[in-house]
């Protein structure tokens, strides 16, 4: 039986090797990718988040936990890809300027790819201009922005403006998300779609292409 508690604890300690071994074992046992992600990896990351907030752990510990999280989650990628899905559309994705958090963004990518979408991942610290340039270069009609800081989420308004100024706003769907982002914020900056989690972001993105 998969021990989610053990996966969570190893992640909190940043033991990437143990995390990957346990995730591999759980996969081999036939445990669903969603369960491993939510009950093991995300649960551990949430606990680290609380401890970080309370100054019980600091940036270095959080960084190694994040590395373990990303490595564990990468193993689930293939399983999250639905059988037989065909590429249905292209999305430009990134974490906004000034923001280095990439775990949620990576999950969004995985879930979108799992639904057969092609994702151009620009990484972290992505300026509005870079989102615009990439959308033009790849002829992508969907742009997805992630932000984890109250200070950086404001950059999303600049992304909306960049597409307006370039005359591409009508033909581009701008999706936003991340812990501090809300539906109200989405409405206030004139973005198109807010979703609270990675799976919903993928479903919403697919919905843009498949009516
Ligand atoms: Co940072 N950090 N961090 N951090 N960090 C938070 C976000 C914070 C809430 C911690 C806290 O104080 N409680 C706080 C932000 C406070 C605020 O602004 N309100 C914070 C801070 C302050 C900072 C620094 C400023 C700390 C410092 O240096 N003093 C600094 C900033 C660096 C920078 O970006 N310029 C910093 C640095 C870091 C690390 C580098 C150490 C590391 C990031 C490593 C990495 O990402 N590779 C880190 C981490 C890991 C966290 C916490 C602990 C965990 C974030 C995470 O990955 N969660 C976080 C505390 C917390 O969230 N409880 C914290 C798991 C992930 C799956 O969730 O990304 O929210 P999340 O994604 C969710 C949803 O939000 C959604 O889907 C996912 C779930 O399915 N989602 C989308 C995300 N993007 C989406 C896009 C969508 C749709 C949904 O559509 C496009």
């Amino acid at each position: 039986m998969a021990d989610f508690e053990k996966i969570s604890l190893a992640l909190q300690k940043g033991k990437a090797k143990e995390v990957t071994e346990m995730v591999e074992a759980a996969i081999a046992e036939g445990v669903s990718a969603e369960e491993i992600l939510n009950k093991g990896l995300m649960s551990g990351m949430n606990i680290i988040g609380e401890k970080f907030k309370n100054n019980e752990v600091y940036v270095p510990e959080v960084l190694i936990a994040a590395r373990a999280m990303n490595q564990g989650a990468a193993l689930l990628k293939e399983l999250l890809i639905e059988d037989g899905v065909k590429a249905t559309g292209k999305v430009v994705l990134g974490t906004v300027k000034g923001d280095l958090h990439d775990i949620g963004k990576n999950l969004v990518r995985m879930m979108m790819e799992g639904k057969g979408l092609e994702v151009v991942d620009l990484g972290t610290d992505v300026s509005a201009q870079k989102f615009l340039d990439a959308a033009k270069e790849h002829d992508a009609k969907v742009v997805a922005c992630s932000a984890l800081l109250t200070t950086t989420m404001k950059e999303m308004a600049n992304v909306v403006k960049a597409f307006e100024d370039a005359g591409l706003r009508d033909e581009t769907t701008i999706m936003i998300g991340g812990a501090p982002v809300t539906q109200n914020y989405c409405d206030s900056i004139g973005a198109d779609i807010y979703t609270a989690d990675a799976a919903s972001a993928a479903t919403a993105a697919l919905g843009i292409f498949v009516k």
Side-chain angles (χ1 to χ4, degrees):
M1 258 302 278
D3 191 337
F4 299 119
E5 179 71 22
K6 267 194 175 167
I7 297 178
S8 163
L9 276 172
L11 184 141
Q12 290 169 51
K13 290 182 188 153
K15 302 204 165 176
K17 190 162 173 278
E18 280 181 25
V19 170
T20 51
E21 282 167 3
M22 282 189 275
V23 169
E24 273 164 355
I27 293 170
E29 277 176 34
V31 181
S32 80
E34 284 80 5
E35 255 193 311
I36 301 171
L37 184 64
N38 293 328
K39 295 188 184 167
L41 302 177
M42 291 281 282
S43 145
M45 206 63 223
N46 286 339
I47 294 170
I48 276 288
E50 270 308 297
K51 289 188 173 167
F52 190 36
K53 189 166 91 185
N54 299 328
N55 292 322
E56 291 167 44
V57 296
Y58 299 95
V59 169
E61 289 102 311
V62 181
L63 263 180
I64 56 167
R67 191 186 55 189
M69 167 89 198
N70 274 330
Q71 287 184 14
L75 296 172
L76 303 175
K77 186 173 166 182
E78 294 304 313
L79 295 171
L80 293 168
I81 296 179
E82 289 165 16
D83 279 344
V85 286
K86 292 217 175 71
T88 36
K90 206 182 279 180
V91 179
V92 163
L93 169 71
T95 302
V96 297
K97 188 174 161 190
D99 199 324
L100 302 174
H101 296 84
D102 70 355
I103 297 172
K105 186 261 304 162
N106 293 345
L107 287 181
V108 170
R109 174 183 179 164
M110 250 181 248
M111 301 282 179
M112 285 185 174
E113 289 179 342
K115 292 209 173 286
L117 298 168
E118 187 183 335
V119 179
V120 180
D121 187 346
L122 303 178
T124 58
D125 192 21
V126 181
S127 67
Q129 187 63 44
K130 270 199 199 158
F131 276 110
L132 178 64
D133 292 345
K136 281 191 202 162
E137 182 189 340
H138 298 279
D139 191 26
K141 303 292 177 225
V142 177
V143 169
C145 310
S146 176
L148 263 287
L149 301 171
T150 43
T151 45
T152 59
M153 63 191 262
K154 293 173 188 138
E155 184 64 18
M156 291 169 163
N158 294 336
V159 176
V160 174
K161 187 166 183 307
F163 280 82
E164 272 167 13
D165 292 349
L168 292 174
R169 184 67 191 92
D170 288 347
E171 60 184 76
T172 311
T173 302
I174 299 181
M175 302 180 61
I176 62 171
V181 182
T182 61
Q183 182 62 54
N184 272 348
Y185 181 68
C186 179
D187 296 341
S188 76
I189 63 167
D192 299 300
I193 300 175
Y194 159 73
T195 48
D197 59 75
S200 314
T203 304
L206 186 65
I208 298 165
F209 298 106
V210 182
K211 298 283 175 200

